[in-house]
mmCIF file of all heavy atoms in Angstrom:
data_model
loop_
_atom_site.group_PDB
_atom_site.id
_atom_site.type_symbol
_atom_site.label_atom_id
_atom_site.label_comp_id
_atom_site.label_asym_id
_atom_site.label_seq_id
_atom_site.Cartn_x
_atom_site.Cartn_y
_atom_site.Cartn_z
ATOM 1 N N ARG A 53 22.980 5.754 -4.901
ATOM 2 C CA ARG A 53 24.301 5.005 -4.966
ATOM 3 C C ARG A 53 24.353 4.157 -6.214
ATOM 4 O O ARG A 53 25.474 3.626 -6.571
ATOM 5 C CB ARG A 53 24.405 4.168 -3.724
ATOM 6 C CG ARG A 53 24.725 4.962 -2.514
ATOM 7 C CD ARG A 53 24.878 4.089 -1.242
ATOM 8 N NE ARG A 53 25.088 4.841 0.000
ATOM 9 C CZ ARG A 53 26.313 5.281 0.382
ATOM 10 N NH1 ARG A 53 27.408 5.062 -0.313
ATOM 11 N NH2 ARG A 53 26.393 5.873 1.570
ATOM 12 N N THR A 54 23.272 3.938 -6.941
ATOM 13 C CA THR A 54 23.317 3.088 -8.172
ATOM 14 C C THR A 54 23.076 3.923 -9.365
ATOM 15 O O THR A 54 22.585 3.503 -10.409
ATOM 16 C CB THR A 54 22.249 1.987 -8.067
ATOM 17 O OG1 THR A 54 20.935 2.509 -7.738
ATOM 18 C CG2 THR A 54 22.627 0.955 -6.989
ATOM 19 N N GLY A 55 23.361 5.225 -9.305
ATOM 20 C CA GLY A 55 23.406 6.093 -10.462
ATOM 21 C C GLY A 55 21.980 6.629 -10.918
ATOM 22 O O GLY A 55 21.866 7.150 -12.010
ATOM 23 N N LYS A 56 21.017 6.570 -10.006
ATOM 24 C CA LYS A 56 19.698 7.104 -10.290
ATOM 25 C C LYS A 56 19.407 8.278 -9.355
ATOM 26 O O LYS A 56 18.355 8.286 -8.636
ATOM 27 C CB LYS A 56 18.691 5.968 -10.138
ATOM 28 C CG LYS A 56 18.959 4.788 -10.974
ATOM 29 C CD LYS A 56 17.956 3.602 -10.704
ATOM 30 C CE LYS A 56 18.270 2.390 -11.494
ATOM 31 N NZ LYS A 56 19.533 1.769 -11.096
ATOM 32 N N SER A 57 20.216 9.289 -9.444
ATOM 33 C CA SER A 57 20.131 10.427 -8.487
ATOM 34 C C SER A 57 18.868 11.245 -8.686
ATOM 35 O O SER A 57 18.285 11.753 -7.702
ATOM 36 C CB SER A 57 21.333 11.321 -8.659
ATOM 37 O OG SER A 57 21.397 11.850 -9.979
ATOM 38 N N ASP A 58 18.348 11.365 -9.926
ATOM 39 C CA ASP A 58 17.120 12.062 -10.071
ATOM 40 C C ASP A 58 15.907 11.376 -9.412
ATOM 41 O O ASP A 58 14.982 12.079 -8.906
ATOM 42 C CB ASP A 58 16.849 12.285 -11.521
ATOM 43 C CG ASP A 58 17.848 13.307 -12.228
ATOM 44 O OD1 ASP A 58 18.456 14.077 -11.467
ATOM 45 O OD2 ASP A 58 18.000 13.300 -13.417
ATOM 46 N N GLN A 59 15.882 10.066 -9.517
ATOM 47 C CA GLN A 59 14.790 9.349 -8.823
ATOM 48 C C GLN A 59 14.934 9.468 -7.289
ATOM 49 O O GLN A 59 13.915 9.573 -6.604
ATOM 50 C CB GLN A 59 14.834 7.859 -9.242
ATOM 51 C CG GLN A 59 14.473 7.582 -10.675
ATOM 52 C CD GLN A 59 14.561 6.082 -11.022
ATOM 53 O OE1 GLN A 59 14.102 5.230 -10.339
ATOM 54 N NE2 GLN A 59 15.188 5.804 -12.178
ATOM 55 N N ALA A 60 16.132 9.391 -6.916
ATOM 56 C CA ALA A 60 16.437 9.657 -5.377
ATOM 57 C C ALA A 60 15.914 10.990 -4.982
ATOM 58 O O ALA A 60 15.295 11.131 -3.946
ATOM 59 C CB ALA A 60 17.873 9.462 -5.129
ATOM 60 N N ALA A 61 16.187 12.093 -5.806
ATOM 61 C CA ALA A 61 15.808 13.366 -5.451
ATOM 62 C C ALA A 61 14.224 13.514 -5.320
ATOM 63 O O ALA A 61 13.815 14.266 -4.524
ATOM 64 C CB ALA A 61 16.316 14.371 -6.459
ATOM 65 N N THR A 62 13.569 12.852 -6.219
ATOM 66 C CA THR A 62 12.106 12.882 -6.144
ATOM 67 C C THR A 62 11.557 12.354 -4.849
ATOM 68 O O THR A 62 10.625 12.958 -4.267
ATOM 69 C CB THR A 62 11.505 12.047 -7.343
ATOM 70 O OG1 THR A 62 11.923 12.584 -8.627
ATOM 71 C CG2 THR A 62 9.992 12.031 -7.270
ATOM 72 N N ILE A 63 12.168 11.225 -4.360
ATOM 73 C CA ILE A 63 11.722 10.705 -3.130
ATOM 74 C C ILE A 63 12.100 11.601 -1.980
ATOM 75 O O ILE A 63 11.287 11.885 -1.008
ATOM 76 C CB ILE A 63 12.317 9.249 -2.928
ATOM 77 C CG1 ILE A 63 11.871 8.365 -3.956
ATOM 78 C CG2 ILE A 63 12.029 8.767 -1.505
ATOM 79 C CD1 ILE A 63 12.435 7.029 -3.908
ATOM 80 N N VAL A 64 13.346 12.118 -1.948
ATOM 81 C CA VAL A 64 13.752 13.008 -0.858
ATOM 82 C C VAL A 64 12.894 14.265 -0.794
ATOM 83 O O VAL A 64 12.493 14.726 0.294
ATOM 84 C CB VAL A 64 15.212 13.368 -0.974
ATOM 85 C CG1 VAL A 64 15.697 14.378 0.017
ATOM 86 C CG2 VAL A 64 16.122 12.180 -0.893
ATOM 87 N N SER A 65 12.555 14.782 -1.977
ATOM 88 C CA SER A 65 11.666 15.977 -2.009
ATOM 89 C C SER A 65 10.327 15.638 -1.461
ATOM 90 O O SER A 65 9.658 16.489 -0.818
ATOM 91 C CB SER A 65 11.519 16.460 -3.470
ATOM 92 O OG SER A 65 12.798 16.892 -4.043
ATOM 93 N N GLU A 66 9.801 14.393 -1.653
ATOM 94 C CA GLU A 66 8.563 14.037 -1.051
ATOM 95 C C GLU A 66 8.587 14.029 0.458
ATOM 96 O O GLU A 66 7.652 14.462 1.104
ATOM 97 C CB GLU A 66 8.208 12.567 -1.570
ATOM 98 C CG GLU A 66 6.955 12.048 -0.982
ATOM 99 C CD GLU A 66 6.725 10.530 -1.343
ATOM 100 O OE1 GLU A 66 7.435 10.090 -2.238
ATOM 101 O OE2 GLU A 66 5.847 9.887 -0.755
ATOM 102 N N VAL A 67 9.727 13.532 0.958
ATOM 103 C CA VAL A 67 9.880 13.508 2.450
ATOM 104 C C VAL A 67 9.981 14.918 2.974
ATOM 105 O O VAL A 67 9.389 15.241 4.073
ATOM 106 C CB VAL A 67 11.117 12.689 2.879
ATOM 107 C CG1 VAL A 67 11.385 12.766 4.334
ATOM 108 C CG2 VAL A 67 10.920 11.200 2.405
ATOM 109 N N ARG A 68 10.669 15.756 2.264
ATOM 110 C CA ARG A 68 10.858 17.115 2.781
ATOM 111 C C ARG A 68 9.586 18.014 2.605
ATOM 112 O O ARG A 68 9.550 19.127 3.194
ATOM 113 C CB ARG A 68 11.999 17.820 1.910
ATOM 114 C CG ARG A 68 13.388 17.334 2.171
ATOM 115 C CD ARG A 68 14.333 17.763 1.150
ATOM 116 N NE ARG A 68 14.437 19.225 0.940
ATOM 117 C CZ ARG A 68 15.283 20.042 1.479
ATOM 118 N NH1 ARG A 68 16.204 19.586 2.360
ATOM 119 N NH2 ARG A 68 15.252 21.325 1.239
ATOM 120 N N ALA A 69 8.729 17.616 1.792
ATOM 121 C CA ALA A 69 7.504 18.480 1.459
ATOM 122 C C ALA A 69 6.794 19.060 2.718
ATOM 123 O O ALA A 69 6.328 20.187 2.691
ATOM 124 C CB ALA A 69 6.568 17.777 0.572
ATOM 125 N N ARG A 70 6.666 18.247 3.729
ATOM 126 C CA ARG A 70 5.969 18.622 4.932
ATOM 127 C C ARG A 70 6.711 19.620 5.773
ATOM 128 O O ARG A 70 6.185 20.198 6.726
ATOM 129 C CB ARG A 70 5.538 17.398 5.738
ATOM 130 C CG ARG A 70 6.740 16.607 6.343
ATOM 131 C CD ARG A 70 6.311 15.407 7.022
ATOM 132 N NE ARG A 70 7.442 14.501 7.379
ATOM 133 C CZ ARG A 70 7.383 13.305 7.957
ATOM 134 N NH1 ARG A 70 6.190 12.865 8.240
ATOM 135 N NH2 ARG A 70 8.479 12.665 8.264
ATOM 136 N N ASP A 71 8.013 19.689 5.490
ATOM 137 C CA ASP A 71 8.968 20.499 6.446
ATOM 138 C C ASP A 71 9.205 21.932 5.892
ATOM 139 O O ASP A 71 9.888 22.671 6.593
ATOM 140 C CB ASP A 71 10.217 19.709 6.524
ATOM 141 C CG ASP A 71 10.046 18.290 7.040
ATOM 142 O OD1 ASP A 71 9.306 18.145 8.010
ATOM 143 O OD2 ASP A 71 10.667 17.370 6.469
ATOM 144 N N PHE A 72 8.678 22.291 4.744
ATOM 145 C CA PHE A 72 8.868 23.624 4.183
ATOM 146 C C PHE A 72 7.566 24.196 3.725
ATOM 147 O O PHE A 72 6.743 23.491 3.008
ATOM 148 C CB PHE A 72 9.852 23.600 3.002
ATOM 149 C CG PHE A 72 11.274 23.231 3.389
ATOM 150 C CD1 PHE A 72 11.655 21.899 3.531
ATOM 151 C CD2 PHE A 72 12.233 24.196 3.633
ATOM 152 C CE1 PHE A 72 12.925 21.589 3.884
ATOM 153 C CE2 PHE A 72 13.525 23.906 3.920
ATOM 154 C CZ PHE A 72 13.890 22.597 4.082
ATOM 155 N N ASP A 73 7.287 25.446 4.088
ATOM 156 C CA ASP A 73 6.091 26.041 3.607
ATOM 157 C C ASP A 73 6.174 26.487 2.089
ATOM 158 O O ASP A 73 5.214 26.532 1.456
ATOM 159 C CB ASP A 73 5.812 27.395 4.422
ATOM 160 C CG ASP A 73 5.420 27.057 5.859
ATOM 161 O OD1 ASP A 73 4.766 25.997 6.134
ATOM 162 O OD2 ASP A 73 5.835 27.864 6.782
ATOM 163 N N ASP A 74 7.437 26.638 1.705
ATOM 164 C CA ASP A 74 7.679 26.991 0.276
ATOM 165 C C ASP A 74 7.971 25.665 -0.469
ATOM 166 O O ASP A 74 9.126 25.110 -0.219
ATOM 167 C CB ASP A 74 8.816 27.977 0.203
ATOM 168 C CG ASP A 74 9.038 28.454 -1.234
ATOM 169 O OD1 ASP A 74 8.519 27.826 -2.186
ATOM 170 O OD2 ASP A 74 9.779 29.471 -1.434
ATOM 171 N N PRO A 75 7.146 25.217 -1.347
ATOM 172 C CA PRO A 75 7.433 23.976 -2.086
ATOM 173 C C PRO A 75 8.781 23.916 -2.820
ATOM 174 O O PRO A 75 9.386 22.887 -2.984
ATOM 175 C CB PRO A 75 6.223 23.848 -3.054
ATOM 176 C CG PRO A 75 5.160 24.609 -2.437
ATOM 177 C CD PRO A 75 5.811 25.741 -1.713
ATOM 178 N N GLU A 76 9.187 25.139 -3.273
ATOM 179 C CA GLU A 76 10.411 25.233 -4.088
ATOM 180 C C GLU A 76 11.616 24.846 -3.091
ATOM 181 O O GLU A 76 12.594 24.210 -3.618
ATOM 182 C CB GLU A 76 10.636 26.618 -4.676
ATOM 183 C CG GLU A 76 9.657 26.874 -5.852
ATOM 184 C CD GLU A 76 10.003 28.162 -6.523
ATOM 185 O OE1 GLU A 76 11.099 28.729 -6.231
ATOM 186 O OE2 GLU A 76 9.235 28.596 -7.360
ATOM 187 N N LYS A 77 11.539 25.320 -1.874
ATOM 188 C CA LYS A 77 12.653 25.047 -0.958
ATOM 189 C C LYS A 77 12.632 23.545 -0.544
ATOM 190 O O LYS A 77 13.682 23.023 -0.112
ATOM 191 C CB LYS A 77 12.450 25.994 0.282
ATOM 192 C CG LYS A 77 12.790 27.404 0.007
ATOM 193 C CD LYS A 77 12.823 28.193 1.276
ATOM 194 C CE LYS A 77 13.198 29.587 1.015
ATOM 195 N NZ LYS A 77 13.201 30.490 2.288
ATOM 196 N N ALA A 78 11.506 22.877 -0.660
ATOM 197 C CA ALA A 78 11.453 21.503 -0.292
ATOM 198 C C ALA A 78 11.999 20.632 -1.364
ATOM 199 O O ALA A 78 12.341 19.506 -1.112
ATOM 200 C CB ALA A 78 9.979 21.179 -0.054
ATOM 201 N N THR A 79 12.173 21.183 -2.553
ATOM 202 C CA THR A 79 12.577 20.351 -3.713
ATOM 203 C C THR A 79 14.125 20.334 -3.734
ATOM 204 O O THR A 79 14.807 21.405 -3.664
ATOM 205 C CB THR A 79 12.038 20.925 -5.024
ATOM 206 O OG1 THR A 79 10.603 20.869 -4.895
ATOM 207 C CG2 THR A 79 12.479 20.108 -6.165
ATOM 208 N N VAL A 80 14.752 19.168 -3.929
ATOM 209 C CA VAL A 80 16.108 19.048 -4.118
ATOM 210 C C VAL A 80 16.418 18.298 -5.445
ATOM 211 O O VAL A 80 15.505 17.635 -5.985
ATOM 212 C CB VAL A 80 16.797 18.232 -2.970
ATOM 213 C CG1 VAL A 80 16.702 18.936 -1.673
ATOM 214 C CG2 VAL A 80 16.162 16.818 -2.860
ATOM 215 N N THR A 81 17.557 18.425 -5.931
ATOM 216 C CA THR A 81 17.946 17.829 -7.193
ATOM 217 C C THR A 81 18.960 16.657 -6.945
ATOM 218 O O THR A 81 19.576 16.590 -5.896
ATOM 219 C CB THR A 81 18.603 18.873 -8.168
ATOM 220 O OG1 THR A 81 19.847 19.237 -7.612
ATOM 221 C CG2 THR A 81 17.713 20.084 -8.323
ATOM 222 N N GLY A 82 19.062 15.789 -7.913
ATOM 223 C CA GLY A 82 20.014 14.733 -7.854
ATOM 224 C C GLY A 82 21.450 15.220 -7.720
ATOM 225 O O GLY A 82 22.272 14.729 -7.020
#
């Protein structure tokens, strides 16, 4: 919400990592 979407995406991808067997699918972009 403060214009740092790429940093946000790094954190969200960290949370998602345990939920996908394929690391690429766990990764999201800003």
Side-chain angles (χ1 to χ4, degrees):
R53 291 181 181 274
T54 53
K56 304 177 182 68
S57 60
D58 289 341
Q59 294 180 45
T62 298
I63 296 174
V64 174
S65 298
E66 176 188 349
V67 174
R68 287 167 55 96
R70 64 184 172 185
D71 304 314
F72 292 84
D73 293 328
D74 184 346
E76 289 188 10
K77 290 186 177 181
T79 303
V80 295
T81 67

